[in-house]
Amino acid sequence: MAKRPPISNNIRRLRFEANEMTQAELARRIGMTRQTIAAIEQNKYSPSLEAAFRIANVFDVGIEQVFRWTDPPDKAP
Amino acid sequence: MSFREKSAWIQFLTLLIVFGGYYLSIHLGLIPPRGAEHFRILMGCIGLVIVLQIVLHIVAAILNPEDAHSPKDERERAIQHRANTYGYYVLTLGVFGLFPLGHMYADVSGLLQWAFFSVVAATLATTLTQIILFRRNS
């Protein structure tokens, strides 16, 4: 959990565009805590695939519009 | 701060204060290391920890009932799992420490004290790990 995952996200922007949805509201909709949503937005925690899809569904967008892989393709883990 | 993090702080601080005081008192000779009086004090400390944790958890739940009653999410479960692993390592070290102690010292009460200390240390390790992981990821 110490190393930041190579995944960026647009959750904060999507929340703002969704009538300024709060972190608490998003957390309630997907069954997580507000602190977990905050950790995801700050790239301190990588959500599971299910959670990622749930977040995308809340905003009615594809998962690739929410999350983006940021590591260069030739970089080994 | 989520309810689960508050819970970790409550458990960590009550154990550290009560049993820190208990072991310090033994070390300073304020309470006997064995015997009926020592056993009464030990039981009193365990009871105090239980009461304090119940009361403080109730207060934390009253302050945020929705958070307190919600199930653990995946991040909280991952933190709990990792913290339990570290606590298990500490407990295992403590139990294995009984073997050389048992051969070196024939004092059964001393061995029991070490075993109990291992449980306290393991719980402290578990809750401290939770606190660090919650703080690091917030």
Side-chain angles (χ1 to χ4, degrees):
Chain A
M1 282 186 184
K3 191 178 172 185
R4 281 179 186 263
I7 300 172
S8 64
N9 65 79
N10 301 317
I11 295 174
R12 186 167 181 159
R13 179 180 60 79
L14 289 165
R15 281 196 299 110
F16 181 78
E17 291 173 357
N19 218 14
E20 297 185 12
M21 184 189 297
T22 62
Q23 288 179 338
E25 174 62 20
L26 176 59
R28 189 188 64 78
R29 289 204 193 182
I30 65 168
M32 286 187 158
T33 63
R34 187 200 65 77
Q35 290 80 5
T36 298
I37 296 297
I40 293 171
E41 285 188 5
Q42 293 165 41
N43 281 341
K44 292 183 178 179
Y45 173 72
S46 282
S48 66
L49 196 57
E50 178 185 342
F53 272 108
R54 286 184 186 277
I55 292 171
N57 282 344
V58 166
F59 299 117
D60 200 25
V61 297
I63 195 169
E64 68 281 356
Q65 291 176 267
V66 184
F67 297 97
R68 192 169 63 251
W69 183 260
T70 56
D71 250 1
D74 58 349
K75 187 176 177 182
Chain B
M1 192 183 292
S2 68
F3 178 78
R4 299 272 145 43
E5 187 179 351
K6 286 176 193 167
S7 175
W9 275 106
I10 289 168
Q11 292 177 68
F12 178 75
L13 289 174
T14 52
L15 278 173
L16 186 68
I17 291 169
V18 174
F19 285 108
Y22 166 76
Y23 286 112
L24 184 63
S25 298
I26 292 178
H27 178 71
L28 294 175
L30 299 175
I31 58 176
R34 61 183 63 80
E37 186 187 347
H38 165 260
F39 182 75
R40 273 194 303 273
I41 292 171
L42 175 59
M43 288 300 106
C45 286
I46 292 172
L48 179 60
V49 165
I50 291 171
V51 168
L52 280 174
Q53 290 195 3
I54 289 173
V55 169
L56 291 172
H57 275 98
I58 289 173
V59 169
I62 288 172
L63 290 174
N64 196 341
E66 190 179 333
D67 195 13
H69 293 105
S70 61
K72 286 180 192 171
D73 68 11
E74 60 181 47
R75 176 173 156 264
E76 290 173 333
R77 286 196 299 273
I79 287 173
Q80 180 78 62
H81 177 77
R82 194 157 174 191
N84 286 345
T85 301
Y86 286 122
Y88 171 75
Y89 292 154
V90 171
L91 184 61
T92 304
L93 276 173
V95 170
F96 274 107
L98 284 173
F99 291 99
L101 286 173
H103 283 93
M104 287 191 296
Y105 306 104
D107 184 0
V108 174
S109 65
L111 293 178
L112 291 173
Q113 276 282 18
W114 177 260
F116 183 72
F117 173 74
S118 300
V119 172
V120 173
T123 310
L124 282 170
T126 298
T127 51
L128 182 60
T129 302
Q130 285 181 292
I131 290 166
I132 290 170
L133 291 175
F134 274 122
R135 289 287 92 205
R136 189 188 288 176
N137 288 318
S138 62

